[in-house]
Amino acid sequence: MKLSTAGESHGKGLFCIMEGLPAGLKVDLGEIDACLALRQSGYGRGARQSIERDHAEILTGVRDGVTLGSPVTLAVYNRDYENWKAYMAPEGCDTSARRLTKVRPGHADLTGLKKFGGSDARNVLERASARESAVRVAAGTLCRQLLRTLGIEVSGYVRAVGGVSDAREYRFEELSSRLPELFMMDGAVQAEAMRFIDGCAAAGDTCGGTAELRVKGLKSGFGSCMTYAEKLDARLAAALMSVQAIKGVEVGIGFGAAARRGSCVHDEIFYEEGRGYLRKTNRAGGIEGGMSNGEEIVLRAAMKPIPTLMRGLATVDYCSHEAVRAATERSDVCAILACEVVLESALCCELAAVVLERLGADNLADVADRYGRLPQ
């Protein structure tokens, strides 16, 4: 399966083409829109979320709510485009207005200008913006629906906001009880995190956080130890790192493994009649030797603070070279809940690609049959 996205933050819309989805998958457009709404929610979000009410439109590859096996095209149109048409219209517009030359630290502005040329960072930031992730959520939800037909479920929660962290471990079944404001699990910890966000807002500052993602029901043997490009942990880490603002990914106990002895890191193997091979711990996070081992997959991703601060950081005007304060393009203080939703979607897309590569069928019935015959 191959996924490509296109579109600018303030352009006409965001679009994606999904090649390789099997025929016969019933599409739940309501669930896609519900996930898009979740991406726009969360404590600490900015004013643009009140402008956009994202809705996914299917343009190709689906008939009567069922995939055809041909490329699926999804569109999420930008309602805010009407306010930006004079400056963004591909047919012709005023490029002298809404210019951005006060390049923002932590953004793609400066490096993008040096790479792609020109003197207006808007040509870079419009694509680099996390707004791009809206259509990835739409695609990821479609992939989630595919995985679900095989008994594979994906979920997650927010483990930390800034320095406010929840150290407790949760079972997969508990994650459905994550709290709506920040997707944290513990009410007291979340209340402290919300106070931390309020403090950042009062100071004109921003904050990030850590999301934990889990996959239940993936059988063993997905990925490979034979070539580095096929390693499951490498592919999933790359998928998560492709999400805007992600600066670190862990698998299982991750960096914690470096501080422990081997006897406290590697998951011992047992065998029971009726259950087969099993592990009583899951420090590897469900992946050994670049392959799924049948245990629950556990991943964590670290989101940096949003680089556009309301008070602006010190920078340089790209054209005049004068010292200035960075431009303010949006006003989110914290978007960790939205990031968690996007991370789940990116994970679903890559997992669906891995699963379909191994099973190699053109219709969903054959995919399900082949998956059902695999050992656990």
Side-chain angles (χ1 to χ4, degrees):
M1 189 191 77
K2 180 182 177 183
L3 170 68
S4 299
T5 74
E8 286 72 45
S9 178
H10 295 97
K12 292 182 179 181
L14 302 154
F15 310 90
C16 78
I17 295 179
M18 306 175 71
E19 300 177 58
L21 279 176
L25 174 64
K26 186 171 178 57
V27 178
D28 184 345
L29 195 54
E31 183 183 18
I32 295 175
D33 284 350
C35 288
L36 287 171
L38 278 178
R39 178 196 161 276
Q40 294 184 281
S41 65
Y43 196 77
R45 296 306 305 276
R48 183 168 185 184
Q49 308 316 313
S50 62
I51 298 173
E52 302 288 358
R53 286 291 184 271
D54 286 340
H55 164 70
E57 184 174 331
I58 301 173
L59 303 182
T60 69
V62 175
R63 184 184 184 203
D64 193 30
V66 180
T67 57
L68 302 173
S70 55
V72 172
T73 306
L74 297 172
V76 178
Y77 293 103
N78 290 328
R79 294 191 181 190
D80 203 22
Y81 176 65
E82 288 304 312
N83 299 321
W84 285 79
K85 186 175 181 178
Y87 323 110
M88 290 296 298
E91 300 85 1
C93 63
D94 181 4
T95 58
S96 66
R98 300 292 182 104
R99 283 168 53 83
L100 192 147
T101 59
K102 298 176 181 178
V103 289
R104 299 163 296 171
H107 258 289
D109 299 351
L110 177 58
T111 304
L113 281 171
K114 292 163 70 175
K115 177 179 175 66
F116 296 106
S119 59
D120 182 5
R122 182 156 304 284
N123 292 342
V124 176
L125 71 90
E126 285 289 333
R127 181 59 185 165
S129 168
R131 174 70 185 151
E132 177 270 345
S133 65
V135 77
R136 277 208 271 175
V137 169
T141 308
L142 190 52
C143 289
R144 184 193 299 271
Q145 293 169 9
L146 169 66
L147 295 169
R148 188 182 295 139
T149 65
L150 306 179
I152 303 168
E153 294 286 349
V154 176
S155 189
Y157 69 104
V158 172
R159 194 177 179 102
V161 174
V164 181
S165 182
D166 185 351
R168 183 182 160 190
E169 302 297 332
Y170 297 94
R171 294 179 295 105
F172 186 92
E173 292 72 21
E174 295 180 273
L175 302 186
S176 59
S177 299
R178 58 193 183 183
L179 302 171
E181 295 84 2
L182 281 173
F183 272 10
M184 300 191 87
M185 298 294 296
D186 185 293
V189 175
Q190 178 169 278
E192 184 181 353
M194 292 168 70
R195 289 192 293 271
F196 182 82
I197 293 171
D198 290 342
C200 289
D205 216 329
T206 60
C207 61
T210 302
E212 181 166 305
L213 308 171
R214 310 269 277 278
V215 181
K216 187 179 180 65
L218 183 67
K219 294 185 176 183
S220 64
F222 287 90
S224 179
C225 61
M226 297 305 182
T227 66
Y228 67 86
E230 294 178 280
K231 289 180 179 290
L232 182 62
D233 40 5
R235 292 185 61 169
L236 298 186
L240 300 187
M241 286 295 293
S242 75
V243 174
Q244 293 86 343
I246 296 302
K247 300 299 286 185
V249 173
E250 290 185 311
V251 182
I253 62 173
F255 284 97
R260 301 186 185 187
R261 298 185 180 188
S263 57
C264 298
V265 171
H266 305 297
D267 302 303
E268 293 181 303
I269 301 171
F270 303 87
Y271 186 87
E272 292 182 6
E273 290 295 334
R275 294 183 61 187
Y277 297 101
L278 59 95
R279 295 159 180 82
K280 297 181 181 179
T281 58
N282 188 26
R283 304 179 190 113
I287 302 175
E288 292 177 303
M291 300 170 288
S292 60
N293 63 12
E295 301 294 326
E296 193 174 291
I297 290 179
V298 181
L299 304 163
R300 281 178 294 280
M303 178 192 186
K304 70 179 181 180
I306 294 167
T308 304
L309 278 64
M310 292 304 294
R311 61 184 176 88
L313 295 173
T315 187
V316 174
D317 186 288
Y318 189 76
C319 295
S320 69
H321 300 160
E322 295 177 344
V324 293
R325 284 286 171 181
T328 298
E329 188 71 12
R330 68 175 185 177
S331 56
D332 285 355
V333 177
C334 181
I336 185 61
L337 184 155
C339 185
E340 196 281 334
V341 174
V342 176
L343 288 166
E344 282 191 34
S345 299
L347 178 57
C348 286
C349 287
E350 191 61 28
L351 274 177
V354 170
V355 167
L356 291 174
E357 284 172 19
R358 185 180 184 192
L359 300 179
D362 296 314
N363 65 80
L364 186 58
D366 286 348
V367 173
D369 177 66
R370 292 176 186 183
Y371 188 74
R373 287 188 276 115
L374 291 176
Q376 182 62 40

